[in-house]
Amino acid sequence: MIREIKAEKIKDTVKRLLLQANYEIGTDVLRELGLSLKREESATGKSVLQQIIDNHRIARQDRIAMCQDTGMVVLFVSLGQEAIITGGDFTEAVNQGVKEAYTEGYLRKSVVEDPLFGRKNTGDNTPAVIHLELVPGDRIKIQVMAKGFGSENMSRGKMLLPSAGVQGVTDFVIETVQKAGPNPCPPLVIGVGIGGTLDMAARLAKISLLREIGCPNGDIHYAALEKELKERVNELGIGPAGLGGRITALAVNVEYYPTHIAGLPVVVNINCHAARHAAAEI
Ligand code: SF4
């Protein structure tokens, strides 16, 4: 049975989620920041973590952006194959939701029309980057991210040889975080995508940033890899805001997909402590 979903409803949902994401950090991020405050040994690191926690509290209370960089909008949309969108164009509805959220919510507009020539600001933070997949059912699940570019700029991908194995992946992740230093605004949430093709690995890395902190990968090998990577990253000593300390990562999340016999793609997508995302099903 086909279920009708109005484009207007999609627009309103995107708008609501983006305001929520920019004003209210997730409870999982807040919880991990609190635990990190207890674990951090550096006095400066502790002070930075406390300031980040206070900043998130003020943003939530006063309904203001938690960071001046309110990000480029990324959406992951799971569209039920028994749902039909009526009353308008899906992409237009999404971008109208972005426009209204960023205009009415006083969020910085950070998107330029052409990445190379002119770089003129679009003026309303559109367009969003939209990832769409078809799933069973008659509902639409929308997950939004407001992705800051201090951290996006520090992300990297590499096509490893299969023989590089776990060691090669680990070395690449650690090298990426080390090179990034203070630039991505630590403490970080680090997304790692392994397998598929280059583009699939990048997509997986981004998807992994949506996972709740404290929920390891369901596969025991990947869960162990996440734990090992987090420990190794936190031994780098970069610390909160890059001022030194134990807490460089709040989480390392890994997602994987089957790949070709000749390859081992890996992408590291870094997110900052303003790890903003929100989700709804309509
Ligand atoms: S990387 Fe994150 S915390 Fe740093 S400026 Fe950008 S959005 Fe803000």
Side-chain angles (χ1 to χ4, degrees):
M1 176 107 159
I2 297 298
R3 181 168 162 264
E4 206 179 314
I5 298 173
K6 298 261 186 246
E8 177 88 4
K9 177 91 174 161
I10 293 169
K11 186 265 291 178
D12 289 344
T13 304
V14 169
K15 178 181 176 182
R16 174 174 63 80
L17 290 176
L18 284 170
L19 291 170
Q20 181 188 328
N22 272 289
Y23 299 158
E24 302 171 19
I25 198 70
T27 51
D28 58 328
V29 182
L30 212 48
R31 185 179 58 235
E32 193 62 30
L33 282 166
L35 292 171
S36 299
L37 182 59
K38 290 188 185 129
R39 288 185 203 127
E40 180 56 70
E41 291 155 13
S42 143
T44 309
K46 275 185 180 296
S47 165
V48 170
L49 287 169
Q50 187 59 62
Q51 287 176 57
I52 291 170
I53 292 168
D54 291 347
N55 178 70
H56 287 324
R57 180 177 45 76
I58 293 165
R60 178 183 288 259
Q61 267 174 11
D62 295 355
R63 310 260 319 144
I64 52 172
M66 66 184 73
C67 183
Q68 47 77 33
D69 175 1
T70 51
M72 184 166 191
V73 175
V74 182
L75 272 94
F76 286 91
V77 179
S78 304
L79 175 62
Q81 61 194 23
E82 291 164 51
I84 181 167
I85 296 156
T86 60
D89 177 272
F90 171 77
T91 305
E92 274 175 22
V94 166
N95 283 322
Q96 185 62 26
V98 174
K99 179 179 176 174
E100 289 183 16
Y102 277 74
T103 306
E104 295 170 27
Y106 299 101
L107 304 173
R108 195 184 81 185
K109 290 82 179 168
S110 309
V111 175
V112 296
E113 277 175 15
D114 186 309
L116 196 55
F117 299 107
R119 293 187 66 87
K120 184 174 175 289
N121 198 301
T122 62
D124 55 15
N125 222 48
T126 66
V129 174
I130 304 172
H131 301 272
L132 185 63
E133 69 167 347
L134 211 52
V135 296
D138 61 1
R139 304 182 75 81
I140 301 181
K141 183 177 181 188
I142 300 174
Q143 299 181 88
V144 305
M145 296 178 83
K147 188 66 179 70
F149 261 53
S151 53
E152 193 74 0
N153 282 342
M154 295 296 111
S155 303
R156 292 164 80 219
K158 194 169 184 179
M159 301 302 283
L160 297 174
L161 292 173
S163 57
V166 174
Q167 189 62 50
V169 169
T170 303
D171 289 348
F172 182 66
V173 174
I174 300 302
E175 181 191 286
T176 300
V177 178
Q178 194 152 32
K179 278 191 171 164
N183 295 311
C185 301
L188 312 169
V189 178
I190 300 167
V192 183
I194 304 172
T197 47
L198 180 65
D199 53 310
M200 182 52 135
R203 183 182 156 103
L204 291 170
K206 184 75 86 256
I207 287 172
S208 76
L209 296 176
L210 296 167
R211 197 195 313 154
E212 190 174 322
I213 293 177
C215 291
N217 191 297
D219 178 282
I220 54 165
H221 301 295
Y222 284 93
L225 179 62
E226 290 175 346
K227 187 167 178 285
E228 158 88 9
L229 286 170
K230 185 178 172 187
E231 284 169 9
R232 292 275 307 276
V233 165
N234 283 334
E235 282 164 12
L236 292 172
I238 296 168
L243 296 172
R246 283 211 60 80
I247 308 297
T248 301
L250 299 174
V252 181
N253 295 341
V254 181
E255 296 294 335
Y256 68 99
Y257 193 78
T259 193
H260 191 278
I261 50 171
L264 177 53
V266 54
V267 171
V268 181
N269 193 196
I270 300 180
N271 209 357
C272 55
H273 57 76
R276 297 160 293 201
H277 52 91
E281 199 171 75
I282 53 178

